[in-house]
PDB file of all heavy atoms in Angstrom:
ATOM      1  N   GLU A 147      52.110  40.017 -17.730  1.00 91.00           N
ATOM      2  CA  GLU A 147      52.806  40.971 -16.865  1.00 91.00           C
ATOM      3  C   GLU A 147      53.026  42.305 -17.565  1.00 91.00           C
ATOM      4  O   GLU A 147      53.326  43.299 -16.921  1.00 91.00           O
ATOM      5  CB  GLU A 147      54.141  40.388 -16.393  1.00 91.00           C
ATOM      6  CG  GLU A 147      53.986  39.266 -15.396  1.00 91.00           C
ATOM      7  CD  GLU A 147      55.312  38.735 -14.882  1.00 91.00           C
ATOM      8  OE1 GLU A 147      56.390  39.119 -15.413  1.00 91.00           O
ATOM      9  OE2 GLU A 147      55.281  37.913 -13.950  1.00 91.00           O
ATOM     10  N   GLU A 148      52.888  42.350 -18.881  1.00 90.00           N
ATOM     11  CA  GLU A 148      53.049  43.593 -19.630  1.00 90.00           C
ATOM     12  C   GLU A 148      51.829  44.510 -19.520  1.00 90.00           C
ATOM     13  O   GLU A 148      51.888  45.669 -19.902  1.00 90.00           O
ATOM     14  CB  GLU A 148      53.324  43.290 -21.108  1.00 90.00           C
ATOM     15  CG  GLU A 148      54.578  42.478 -21.342  1.00 90.00           C
ATOM     16  CD  GLU A 148      55.829  43.147 -20.773  1.00 90.00           C
ATOM     17  OE1 GLU A 148      56.025  44.353 -21.004  1.00 90.00           O
ATOM     18  OE2 GLU A 148      56.592  42.458 -20.087  1.00 90.00           O
ATOM     19  N   ALA A 149      50.715  43.987 -19.016  1.00 87.00           N
ATOM     20  CA  ALA A 149      49.503  44.798 -18.875  1.00 87.00           C
ATOM     21  C   ALA A 149      49.753  45.932 -17.893  1.00 87.00           C
ATOM     22  O   ALA A 149      50.365  45.740 -16.851  1.00 87.00           O
ATOM     23  CB  ALA A 149      48.335  43.933 -18.406  1.00 87.00           C
ATOM     24  N   THR A 150      49.282  47.113 -18.239  1.00 86.00           N
ATOM     25  CA  THR A 150      49.439  48.282 -17.378  1.00 86.00           C
ATOM     26  C   THR A 150      48.192  48.453 -16.509  1.00 86.00           C
ATOM     27  O   THR A 150      47.173  47.796 -16.734  1.00 86.00           O
ATOM     28  CB  THR A 150      49.626  49.552 -18.222  1.00 86.00           C
ATOM     29  OG1 THR A 150      48.430  49.767 -18.984  1.00 86.00           O
ATOM     30  CG2 THR A 150      50.827  49.426 -19.140  1.00 86.00           C
ATOM     31  N   PHE A 151      48.262  49.356 -15.540  1.00 85.00           N
ATOM     32  CA  PHE A 151      47.091  49.609 -14.709  1.00 85.00           C
ATOM     33  C   PHE A 151      45.944  50.142 -15.559  1.00 85.00           C
ATOM     34  O   PHE A 151      44.786  49.854 -15.294  1.00 85.00           O
ATOM     35  CB  PHE A 151      47.410  50.586 -13.572  1.00 85.00           C
ATOM     36  CG  PHE A 151      46.251  50.737 -12.618  1.00 85.00           C
ATOM     37  CD1 PHE A 151      45.883  49.690 -11.784  1.00 85.00           C
ATOM     38  CD2 PHE A 151      45.516  51.910 -12.570  1.00 85.00           C
ATOM     39  CE1 PHE A 151      44.807  49.807 -10.924  1.00 85.00           C
ATOM     40  CE2 PHE A 151      44.435  52.032 -11.704  1.00 85.00           C
ATOM     41  CZ  PHE A 151      44.085  50.977 -10.871  1.00 85.00           C
ATOM     42  N   TRP A 152      46.257  50.892 -16.616  1.00 80.00           N
ATOM     43  CA  TRP A 152      45.211  51.387 -17.520  1.00 80.00           C
ATOM     44  C   TRP A 152      44.395  50.220 -18.070  1.00 80.00           C
ATOM     45  O   TRP A 152      43.169  50.282 -18.140  1.00 80.00           O
ATOM     46  CB  TRP A 152      45.829  52.190 -18.666  1.00 80.00           C
ATOM     47  CG  TRP A 152      44.789  52.779 -19.565  1.00 80.00           C
ATOM     48  CD1 TRP A 152      44.213  53.998 -19.451  1.00 80.00           C
ATOM     49  CD2 TRP A 152      44.194  52.153 -20.705  1.00 80.00           C
ATOM     50  NE1 TRP A 152      43.278  54.171 -20.446  1.00 80.00           N
ATOM     51  CE2 TRP A 152      43.251  53.050 -21.228  1.00 80.00           C
ATOM     52  CE3 TRP A 152      44.349  50.921 -21.327  1.00 80.00           C
ATOM     53  CZ2 TRP A 152      42.485  52.758 -22.349  1.00 80.00           C
ATOM     54  CZ3 TRP A 152      43.576  50.632 -22.438  1.00 80.00           C
ATOM     55  CH2 TRP A 152      42.660  51.542 -22.933  1.00 80.00           C
ATOM     56  N   VAL A 153      45.063  49.144 -18.444  1.00 81.00           N
ATOM     57  CA  VAL A 153      44.368  47.966 -18.974  1.00 81.00           C
ATOM     58  C   VAL A 153      43.452  47.382 -17.900  1.00 81.00           C
ATOM     59  O   VAL A 153      42.290  47.078 -18.165  1.00 81.00           O
ATOM     60  CB  VAL A 153      45.373  46.905 -19.478  1.00 81.00           C
ATOM     61  CG1 VAL A 153      44.665  45.598 -19.815  1.00 81.00           C
ATOM     62  CG2 VAL A 153      46.136  47.427 -20.673  1.00 81.00           C
ATOM     63  N   PHE A 154      43.951  47.250 -16.664  1.00 78.00           N
ATOM     64  CA  PHE A 154      43.119  46.708 -15.591  1.00 78.00           C
ATOM     65  C   PHE A 154      41.929  47.617 -15.308  1.00 78.00           C
ATOM     66  O   PHE A 154      40.813  47.158 -15.138  1.00 78.00           O
ATOM     67  CB  PHE A 154      43.942  46.528 -14.306  1.00 78.00           C
ATOM     68  CG  PHE A 154      44.768  45.290 -14.319  1.00 78.00           C
ATOM     69  CD1 PHE A 154      46.041  45.299 -14.867  1.00 78.00           C
ATOM     70  CD2 PHE A 154      44.278  44.107 -13.808  1.00 78.00           C
ATOM     71  CE1 PHE A 154      46.810  44.156 -14.883  1.00 78.00           C
ATOM     72  CE2 PHE A 154      45.040  42.951 -13.822  1.00 78.00           C
ATOM     73  CZ  PHE A 154      46.307  42.980 -14.359  1.00 78.00           C
ATOM     74  N   ARG A 155      42.163  48.914 -15.259  1.00 74.00           N
ATOM     75  CA  ARG A 155      41.089  49.846 -14.912  1.00 74.00           C
ATOM     76  C   ARG A 155      40.009  49.896 -15.982  1.00 74.00           C
ATOM     77  O   ARG A 155      38.826  49.934 -15.679  1.00 74.00           O
ATOM     78  CB  ARG A 155      41.671  51.232 -14.688  1.00 74.00           C
ATOM     79  CG  ARG A 155      40.637  52.199 -14.223  1.00 74.00           C
ATOM     80  CD  ARG A 155      41.238  53.436 -13.660  1.00 74.00           C
ATOM     81  NE  ARG A 155      40.181  54.234 -13.086  1.00 74.00           N
ATOM     82  CZ  ARG A 155      40.360  55.409 -12.604  1.00 74.00           C
ATOM     83  NH1 ARG A 155      41.563  55.939 -12.594  1.00 74.00           N
ATOM     84  NH2 ARG A 155      39.371  56.083 -12.110  1.00 74.00           N
ATOM     85  N   HIS A 156      40.410  49.910 -17.246  1.00 70.00           N
ATOM     86  CA  HIS A 156      39.438  50.071 -18.320  1.00 70.00           C
ATOM     87  C   HIS A 156      38.965  48.756 -18.919  1.00 70.00           C
ATOM     88  O   HIS A 156      38.009  48.737 -19.671  1.00 70.00           O
ATOM     89  CB  HIS A 156      40.022  50.953 -19.421  1.00 70.00           C
ATOM     90  CG  HIS A 156      40.262  52.348 -18.954  1.00 70.00           C
ATOM     91  ND1 HIS A 156      39.257  53.277 -18.842  1.00 70.00           N
ATOM     92  CD2 HIS A 156      41.373  52.956 -18.521  1.00 70.00           C
ATOM     93  CE1 HIS A 156      39.750  54.404 -18.385  1.00 70.00           C
ATOM     94  NE2 HIS A 156      41.038  54.231 -18.173  1.00 70.00           N
ATOM     95  N   TYR A 157      39.620  47.664 -18.590  1.00 70.00           N
ATOM     96  CA  TYR A 157      39.274  46.381 -19.188  1.00 70.00           C
ATOM     97  C   TYR A 157      38.927  45.361 -18.106  1.00 70.00           C
ATOM     98  O   TYR A 157      37.877  44.751 -18.139  1.00 70.00           O
ATOM     99  CB  TYR A 157      40.453  45.911 -20.034  1.00 70.00           C
ATOM    100  CG  TYR A 157      40.306  44.558 -20.648  1.00 70.00           C
ATOM    101  CD1 TYR A 157      39.373  44.312 -21.638  1.00 70.00           C
ATOM    102  CD2 TYR A 157      41.133  43.521 -20.252  1.00 70.00           C
ATOM    103  CE1 TYR A 157      39.258  43.061 -22.220  1.00 70.00           C
ATOM    104  CE2 TYR A 157      41.022  42.270 -20.833  1.00 70.00           C
ATOM    105  CZ  TYR A 157      40.083  42.044 -21.806  1.00 70.00           C
ATOM    106  OH  TYR A 157      39.978  40.812 -22.365  1.00 70.00           O
ATOM    107  N   GLY A 158      39.794  45.222 -17.127  1.00 64.00           N
ATOM    108  CA  GLY A 158      39.581  44.217 -16.096  1.00 64.00           C
ATOM    109  C   GLY A 158      38.562  44.601 -15.048  1.00 64.00           C
ATOM    110  O   GLY A 158      37.770  43.770 -14.623  1.00 64.00           O
ATOM    111  N   PHE A 159      38.538  45.867 -14.610  1.00 64.00           N
ATOM    112  CA  PHE A 159      37.635  46.279 -13.542  1.00 64.00           C
ATOM    113  C   PHE A 159      36.314  46.806 -14.074  1.00 64.00           C
ATOM    114  O   PHE A 159      35.387  47.016 -13.322  1.00 64.00           O
ATOM    115  CB  PHE A 159      38.270  47.375 -12.680  1.00 64.00           C
ATOM    116  CG  PHE A 159      39.502  46.932 -11.960  1.00 64.00           C
ATOM    117  CD1 PHE A 159      40.579  47.784 -11.835  1.00 64.00           C
ATOM    118  CD2 PHE A 159      39.593  45.670 -11.400  1.00 64.00           C
ATOM    119  CE1 PHE A 159      41.715  47.388 -11.163  1.00 64.00           C
ATOM    120  CE2 PHE A 159      40.730  45.259 -10.736  1.00 64.00           C
ATOM    121  CZ  PHE A 159      41.793  46.130 -10.615  1.00 64.00           C
ATOM    122  N   GLN A 160      36.231  47.082 -15.350  1.00 60.00           N
ATOM    123  CA  GLN A 160      35.044  47.717 -15.915  1.00 60.00           C
ATOM    124  C   GLN A 160      34.094  46.668 -16.464  1.00 60.00           C
ATOM    125  O   GLN A 160      34.498  45.765 -17.179  1.00 60.00           O
ATOM    126  CB  GLN A 160      35.458  48.684 -17.028  1.00 60.00           C
ATOM    127  CG  GLN A 160      34.322  49.459 -17.626  1.00 60.00           C
ATOM    128  CD  GLN A 160      34.818  50.454 -18.655  1.00 60.00           C
ATOM    129  OE1 GLN A 160      35.985  50.785 -18.712  1.00 60.00           O
ATOM    130  NE2 GLN A 160      33.923  50.925 -19.474  1.00 60.00           N
ATOM    131  N   SER A 161      32.830  46.823 -16.134  1.00 58.00           N
ATOM    132  CA  SER A 161      31.826  45.910 -16.663  1.00 58.00           C
ATOM    133  C   SER A 161      31.421  46.361 -18.051  1.00 58.00           C
ATOM    134  O   SER A 161      31.385  47.554 -18.338  1.00 58.00           O
ATOM    135  CB  SER A 161      30.596  45.915 -15.749  1.00 58.00           C
ATOM    136  OG  SER A 161      29.545  45.215 -16.353  1.00 58.00           O
ATOM    137  N   GLY A 162      31.107  45.423 -18.914  1.00 58.00           N
ATOM    138  CA  GLY A 162      30.627  45.753 -20.244  1.00 58.00           C
ATOM    139  C   GLY A 162      29.140  46.045 -20.268  1.00 58.00           C
ATOM    140  O   GLY A 162      28.565  46.263 -21.322  1.00 58.00           O
ATOM    141  N   ARG A 163      28.490  46.076 -19.102  1.00 58.00           N
ATOM    142  CA  ARG A 163      27.044  46.260 -19.025  1.00 58.00           C
ATOM    143  C   ARG A 163      26.607  47.618 -19.542  1.00 58.00           C
ATOM    144  O   ARG A 163      25.678  47.722 -20.331  1.00 58.00           O
ATOM    145  CB  ARG A 163      26.575  46.074 -17.590  1.00 58.00           C
ATOM    146  CG  ARG A 163      25.063  46.135 -17.443  1.00 58.00           C
ATOM    147  CD  ARG A 163      24.699  46.020 -15.999  1.00 58.00           C
ATOM    148  NE  ARG A 163      24.897  47.315 -15.381  1.00 58.00           N
ATOM    149  CZ  ARG A 163      24.056  47.877 -14.552  1.00 58.00           C
ATOM    150  NH1 ARG A 163      22.968  47.250 -14.193  1.00 58.00           N
ATOM    151  NH2 ARG A 163      24.300  49.051 -14.034  1.00 58.00           N
ATOM    152  N   ASP A 164      27.242  48.680 -19.084  1.00 57.00           N
ATOM    153  CA  ASP A 164      26.802  50.031 -19.420  1.00 57.00           C
ATOM    154  C   ASP A 164      27.633  50.695 -20.498  1.00 57.00           C
ATOM    155  O   ASP A 164      27.276  51.743 -21.001  1.00 57.00           O
ATOM    156  CB  ASP A 164      26.837  50.923 -18.165  1.00 57.00           C
ATOM    157  CG  ASP A 164      25.903  50.412 -17.087  1.00 57.00           C
ATOM    158  OD1 ASP A 164      24.790  49.977 -17.440  1.00 57.00           O
ATOM    159  OD2 ASP A 164      26.289  50.434 -15.920  1.00 57.00           O
ATOM    160  N   THR A 165      28.757  50.129 -20.814  1.00 63.00           N
ATOM    161  CA  THR A 165      29.665  50.779 -21.744  1.00 63.00           C
ATOM    162  C   THR A 165      30.456  49.731 -22.511  1.00 63.00           C
ATOM    163  O   THR A 165      30.559  48.594 -22.074  1.00 63.00           O
ATOM    164  CB  THR A 165      30.623  51.717 -20.972  1.00 63.00           C
ATOM    165  OG1 THR A 165      31.474  52.367 -21.899  1.00 63.00           O
ATOM    166  CG2 THR A 165      31.476  50.962 -19.985  1.00 63.00           C
ATOM    167  N   ASP A 166      30.987  50.123 -23.653  1.00 69.00           N
ATOM    168  CA  ASP A 166      31.849  49.217 -24.404  1.00 69.00           C
ATOM    169  C   ASP A 166      33.261  49.367 -23.864  1.00 69.00           C
ATOM    170  O   ASP A 166      33.952  50.339 -24.166  1.00 69.00           O
ATOM    171  CB  ASP A 166      31.794  49.538 -25.902  1.00 69.00           C
ATOM    172  CG  ASP A 166      32.676  48.611 -26.719  1.00 69.00           C
ATOM    173  OD1 ASP A 166      33.264  47.667 -26.150  1.00 69.00           O
ATOM    174  OD2 ASP A 166      32.781  48.845 -27.932  1.00 69.00           O
ATOM    175  N   LYS A 167      33.698  48.423 -23.050  1.00 67.00           N
ATOM    176  CA  LYS A 167      35.011  48.543 -22.430  1.00 67.00           C
ATOM    177  C   LYS A 167      36.147  48.414 -23.420  1.00 67.00           C
ATOM    178  O   LYS A 167      37.279  48.680 -23.103  1.00 67.00           O
ATOM    179  CB  LYS A 167      35.156  47.566 -21.269  1.00 67.00           C
ATOM    180  CG  LYS A 167      35.127  46.101 -21.637  1.00 67.00           C
ATOM    181  CD  LYS A 167      35.198  45.295 -20.357  1.00 67.00           C
ATOM    182  CE  LYS A 167      35.147  43.822 -20.590  1.00 67.00           C
ATOM    183  NZ  LYS A 167      35.201  43.090 -19.329  1.00 67.00           N
ATOM    184  N   PHE A 168      35.854  48.000 -24.650  1.00 68.00           N
ATOM    185  CA  PHE A 168      36.880  47.902 -25.682  1.00 68.00           C
ATOM    186  C   PHE A 168      36.940  49.166 -26.553  1.00 68.00           C
ATOM    187  O   PHE A 168      37.710  49.204 -27.502  1.00 68.00           O
ATOM    188  CB  PHE A 168      36.624  46.683 -26.573  1.00 68.00           C
ATOM    189  CG  PHE A 168      36.871  45.374 -25.877  1.00 68.00           C
ATOM    190  CD1 PHE A 168      35.841  44.724 -25.227  1.00 68.00           C
ATOM    191  CD2 PHE A 168      38.129  44.798 -25.864  1.00 68.00           C
ATOM    192  CE1 PHE A 168      36.050  43.511 -24.584  1.00 68.00           C
ATOM    193  CE2 PHE A 168      38.350  43.590 -25.229  1.00 68.00           C
ATOM    194  CZ  PHE A 168      37.311  42.955 -24.582  1.00 68.00           C
ATOM    195  N   ALA A 169      36.122  50.183 -26.238  1.00 72.00           N
ATOM    196  CA  ALA A 169      36.102  51.401 -27.046  1.00 72.00           C
ATOM    197  C   ALA A 169      37.500  52.025 -27.079  1.00 72.00           C
ATOM    198  O   ALA A 169      38.168  52.154 -26.062  1.00 72.00           O
ATOM    199  CB  ALA A 169      35.100  52.399 -26.489  1.00 72.00           C
ATOM    200  N   GLY A 170      37.960  52.394 -28.265  1.00 72.00           N
ATOM    201  CA  GLY A 170      39.266  53.021 -28.420  1.00 72.00           C
ATOM    202  C   GLY A 170      40.422  52.040 -28.490  1.00 72.00           C
ATOM    203  O   GLY A 170      41.569  52.435 -28.646  1.00 72.00           O
ATOM    204  N   ILE A 171      40.135  50.748 -28.366  1.00 73.00           N
ATOM    205  CA  ILE A 171      41.161  49.716 -28.436  1.00 73.00           C
ATOM    206  C   ILE A 171      40.935  48.950 -29.739  1.00 73.00           C
ATOM    207  O   ILE A 171      39.807  48.549 -30.023  1.00 73.00           O
ATOM    208  CB  ILE A 171      41.059  48.749 -27.239  1.00 73.00           C
ATOM    209  CG1 ILE A 171      41.259  49.509 -25.932  1.00 73.00           C
ATOM    210  CG2 ILE A 171      42.071  47.625 -27.361  1.00 73.00           C
ATOM    211  CD1 ILE A 171      40.981  48.681 -24.694  1.00 73.00           C
ATOM    212  N   PRO A 172      41.982  48.755 -30.536  1.00 72.00           N
ATOM    213  CA  PRO A 172      41.786  47.970 -31.761  1.00 72.00           C
ATOM    214  C   PRO A 172      41.165  46.618 -31.426  1.00 72.00           C
ATOM    215  O   PRO A 172      41.612  45.930 -30.520  1.00 72.00           O
ATOM    216  CB  PRO A 172      43.204  47.795 -32.320  1.00 72.00           C
ATOM    217  CG  PRO A 172      44.003  48.888 -31.687  1.00 72.00           C
ATOM    218  CD  PRO A 172      43.367  49.178 -30.358  1.00 72.00           C
ATOM    219  N   GLU A 173      40.098  46.282 -32.142  1.00 70.00           N
ATOM    220  CA  GLU A 173      39.376  45.051 -31.830  1.00 70.00           C
ATOM    221  C   GLU A 173      40.111  43.833 -32.349  1.00 70.00           C
ATOM    222  O   GLU A 173      40.467  43.744 -33.512  1.00 70.00           O
ATOM    223  CB  GLU A 173      37.979  45.112 -32.429  1.00 70.00           C
ATOM    224  CG  GLU A 173      37.139  43.924 -32.042  1.00 70.00           C
ATOM    225  CD  GLU A 173      35.693  44.090 -32.427  1.00 70.00           C
ATOM    226  OE1 GLU A 173      35.043  44.996 -31.895  1.00 70.00           O
ATOM    227  OE2 GLU A 173      35.231  43.300 -33.265  1.00 70.00           O
ATOM    228  N   ASN A 174      40.334  42.898 -31.459  1.00 82.00           N
ATOM    229  CA  ASN A 174      40.911  41.612 -31.793  1.00 82.00           C
ATOM    230  C   ASN A 174      39.940  40.549 -31.320  1.00 82.00           C
ATOM    231  O   ASN A 174      39.384  40.647 -30.232  1.00 82.00           O
ATOM    232  CB  ASN A 174      42.260  41.414 -31.087  1.00 82.00           C
ATOM    233  CG  ASN A 174      43.296  42.392 -31.578  1.00 82.00           C
ATOM    234  OD1 ASN A 174      43.662  42.363 -32.733  1.00 82.00           O
ATOM    235  ND2 ASN A 174      43.749  43.261 -30.693  1.00 82.00           N
ATOM    236  N   ARG A 175      39.740  39.529 -32.142  1.00 81.00           N
ATOM    237  CA  ARG A 175      38.841  38.438 -31.784  1.00 81.00           C
ATOM    238  C   ARG A 175      39.457  37.106 -32.192  1.00 81.00           C
ATOM    239  O   ARG A 175      40.150  37.019 -33.189  1.00 81.00           O
ATOM    240  CB  ARG A 175      37.489  38.590 -32.481  1.00 81.00           C
ATOM    241  CG  ARG A 175      36.660  39.743 -31.975  1.00 81.00           C
ATOM    242  CD  ARG A 175      35.305  39.764 -32.691  1.00 81.00           C
ATOM    243  NE  ARG A 175      34.483  40.849 -32.243  1.00 81.00           N
ATOM    244  CZ  ARG A 175      33.529  40.743 -31.322  1.00 81.00           C
ATOM    245  NH1 ARG A 175      33.282  39.587 -30.772  1.00 81.00           N
ATOM    246  NH2 ARG A 175      32.813  41.786 -30.961  1.00 81.00           N
ATOM    247  N   THR A 176      39.146  36.079 -31.396  1.00 77.00           N
ATOM    248  CA  THR A 176      39.524  34.725 -31.791  1.00 77.00           C
ATOM    249  C   THR A 176      38.559  34.278 -32.889  1.00 77.00           C
ATOM    250  O   THR A 176      37.589  34.978 -33.192  1.00 77.00           O
ATOM    251  CB  THR A 176      39.427  33.745 -30.596  1.00 77.00           C
ATOM    252  OG1 THR A 176      38.059  33.638 -30.201  1.00 77.00           O
ATOM    253  CG2 THR A 176      40.287  34.194 -29.433  1.00 77.00           C
ATOM    254  N   GLU A 177      38.799  33.106 -33.445  1.00 72.00           N
ATOM    255  CA  GLU A 177      37.916  32.581 -34.494  1.00 72.00           C
ATOM    256  C   GLU A 177      36.483  32.442 -34.016  1.00 72.00           C
ATOM    257  O   GLU A 177      35.545  32.566 -34.790  1.00 72.00           O
ATOM    258  CB  GLU A 177      38.413  31.216 -34.996  1.00 72.00           C
ATOM    259  CG  GLU A 177      39.768  31.238 -35.663  1.00 72.00           C
ATOM    260  CD  GLU A 177      40.923  31.249 -34.663  1.00 72.00           C
ATOM    261  OE1 GLU A 177      40.746  30.839 -33.481  1.00 72.00           O
ATOM    262  OE2 GLU A 177      42.019  31.691 -35.059  1.00 72.00           O
ATOM    263  N   ASN A 178      36.290  32.194 -32.729  1.00 69.00           N
ATOM    264  CA  ASN A 178      34.941  32.033 -32.179  1.00 69.00           C
ATOM    265  C   ASN A 178      34.372  33.327 -31.607  1.00 69.00           C
ATOM    266  O   ASN A 178      33.329  33.313 -30.966  1.00 69.00           O
ATOM    267  CB  ASN A 178      34.927  30.950 -31.104  1.00 69.00           C
ATOM    268  CG  ASN A 178      35.136  29.584 -31.683  1.00 69.00           C
ATOM    269  OD1 ASN A 178      34.840  29.342 -32.848  1.00 69.00           O
ATOM    270  ND2 ASN A 178      35.659  28.664 -30.889  1.00 69.00           N
ATOM    271  N   GLY A 179      35.069  34.446 -31.796  1.00 76.00           N
ATOM    272  CA  GLY A 179      34.514  35.745 -31.404  1.00 76.00           C
ATOM    273  C   GLY A 179      34.915  36.284 -30.055  1.00 76.00           C
ATOM    274  O   GLY A 179      34.440  37.351 -29.661  1.00 76.00           O
ATOM    275  N   LEU A 180      35.789  35.598 -29.304  1.00 77.00           N
ATOM    276  CA  LEU A 180      36.216  36.135 -28.014  1.00 77.00           C
ATOM    277  C   LEU A 180      37.095  37.366 -28.236  1.00 77.00           C
ATOM    278  O   LEU A 180      38.050  37.326 -29.004  1.00 77.00           O
ATOM    279  CB  LEU A 180      36.995  35.088 -27.216  1.00 77.00           C
ATOM    280  CG  LEU A 180      36.209  33.854 -26.779  1.00 77.00           C
ATOM    281  CD1 LEU A 180      37.131  32.882 -26.057  1.00 77.00           C
ATOM    282  CD2 LEU A 180      35.050  34.230 -25.891  1.00 77.00           C
ATOM    283  N   ARG A 181      36.761  38.468 -27.561  1.00 78.00           N
ATOM    284  CA  ARG A 181      37.518  39.707 -27.713  1.00 78.00           C
ATOM    285  C   ARG A 181      38.693  39.725 -26.740  1.00 78.00           C
ATOM    286  O   ARG A 181      38.604  39.206 -25.638  1.00 78.00           O
ATOM    287  CB  ARG A 181      36.607  40.908 -27.450  1.00 78.00           C
ATOM    288  CG  ARG A 181      35.508  41.017 -28.484  1.00 78.00           C
ATOM    289  CD  ARG A 181      34.486  42.026 -28.090  1.00 78.00           C
ATOM    290  NE  ARG A 181      34.920  43.338 -28.543  1.00 78.00           N
ATOM    291  CZ  ARG A 181      34.194  44.435 -28.394  1.00 78.00           C
ATOM    292  NH1 ARG A 181      33.034  44.387 -27.801  1.00 78.00           N
ATOM    293  NH2 ARG A 181      34.643  45.593 -28.831  1.00 78.00           N
ATOM    294  N   TYR A 182      39.788  40.365 -27.168  1.00 82.00           N
ATOM    295  CA  TYR A 182      40.966  40.471 -26.309  1.00 82.00           C
ATOM    296  C   TYR A 182      41.793  41.675 -26.715  1.00 82.00           C
ATOM    297  O   TYR A 182      41.635  42.220 -27.799  1.00 82.00           O
ATOM    298  CB  TYR A 182      41.806  39.190 -26.352  1.00 82.00           C
ATOM    299  CG  TYR A 182      42.413  38.876 -27.702  1.00 82.00           C
ATOM    300  CD1 TYR A 182      43.690  39.307 -28.023  1.00 82.00           C
ATOM    301  CD2 TYR A 182      41.713  38.140 -28.656  1.00 82.00           C
ATOM    302  CE1 TYR A 182      44.247  39.027 -29.262  1.00 82.00           C
ATOM    303  CE2 TYR A 182      42.258  37.846 -29.886  1.00 82.00           C
ATOM    304  CZ  TYR A 182      43.535  38.296 -30.183  1.00 82.00           C
ATOM    305  OH  TYR A 182      44.088  38.015 -31.406  1.00 82.00           O
ATOM    306  N   ILE A 183      42.706  42.077 -25.818  1.00 82.00           N
ATOM    307  CA  ILE A 183      43.613  43.190 -26.076  1.00 82.00           C
ATOM    308  C   ILE A 183      44.950  42.601 -26.503  1.00 82.00           C
ATOM    309  O   ILE A 183      45.598  41.878 -25.735  1.00 82.00           O
ATOM    310  CB  ILE A 183      43.791  44.074 -24.828  1.00 82.00           C
ATOM    311  CG1 ILE A 183      42.448  44.684 -24.432  1.00 82.00           C
ATOM    312  CG2 ILE A 183      44.813  45.170 -25.080  1.00 82.00           C
ATOM    313  CD1 ILE A 183      42.494  45.477 -23.155  1.00 82.00           C
ATOM    314  N   ASP A 184      45.361  42.891 -27.716  1.00 83.00           N
ATOM    315  CA  ASP A 184      46.607  42.370 -28.257  1.00 83.00           C
ATOM    316  C   ASP A 184      47.795  42.906 -27.455  1.00 83.00           C
ATOM    317  O   ASP A 184      47.837  44.069 -27.088  1.00 83.00           O
ATOM    318  CB  ASP A 184      46.738  42.781 -29.737  1.00 83.00           C
ATOM    319  CG  ASP A 184      47.806  41.996 -30.456  1.00 83.00           C
ATOM    320  OD1 ASP A 184      47.970  40.807 -30.125  1.00 83.00           O
ATOM    321  OD2 ASP A 184      48.459  42.572 -31.337  1.00 83.00           O
ATOM    322  N   GLY A 185      48.752  42.049 -27.171  1.00 84.00           N
ATOM    323  CA  GLY A 185      49.958  42.452 -26.456  1.00 84.00           C
ATOM    324  C   GLY A 185      49.813  42.415 -24.947  1.00 84.00           C
ATOM    325  O   GLY A 185      50.804  42.492 -24.234  1.00 84.00           O
ATOM    326  N   CYS A 186      48.590  42.303 -24.426  1.00 86.00           N
ATOM    327  CA  CYS A 186      48.362  42.261 -22.980  1.00 86.00           C
ATOM    328  C   CYS A 186      47.650  40.988 -22.546  1.00 86.00           C
ATOM    329  O   CYS A 186      47.463  40.762 -21.364  1.00 86.00           O
ATOM    330  CB  CYS A 186      47.514  43.451 -22.540  1.00 86.00           C
ATOM    331  SG  CYS A 186      48.294  45.043 -22.757  1.00 86.00           S
ATOM    332  N   THR A 187      47.245  40.167 -23.502  1.00 88.00           N
ATOM    333  CA  THR A 187      46.477  38.966 -23.189  1.00 88.00           C
ATOM    334  C   THR A 187      47.227  37.757 -23.726  1.00 88.00           C
ATOM    335  O   THR A 187      47.592  37.733 -24.884  1.00 88.00           O
ATOM    336  CB  THR A 187      45.076  39.029 -23.852  1.00 88.00           C
ATOM    337  OG1 THR A 187      44.487  40.291 -23.583  1.00 88.00           O
ATOM    338  CG2 THR A 187      44.186  37.927 -23.343  1.00 88.00           C
TER     339      THR A 187
END
């Protein structure tokens, strides 16, 4: 519930096909490599 509309627009609604949707966001990964946004996931 802490996720803002910015997170949805740039992360949830954006496809990673043409662009890196994580650009400008500190990269966080699980041990198996799944990317996520810290504090919103």
Side-chain angles (χ1 to χ4, degrees):
E147 289 183 351
E148 300 303 313
T150 64
F151 186 69
W152 183 91
V153 171
F154 280 87
R155 185 165 187 185
H156 295 281
Y157 176 67
F159 297 141
Q160 184 176 343
S161 170
R163 185 183 80 136
D164 299 320
T165 182
D166 180 5
K167 65 183 179 181
F168 290 92
I171 299 172
E173 185 170 296
N174 295 296
R175 291 183 180 263
T176 65
E177 297 80 22
N178 291 335
L180 295 177
R181 295 170 86 177
Y182 64 93
I183 298 175
D184 195 35
C186 295
T187 312

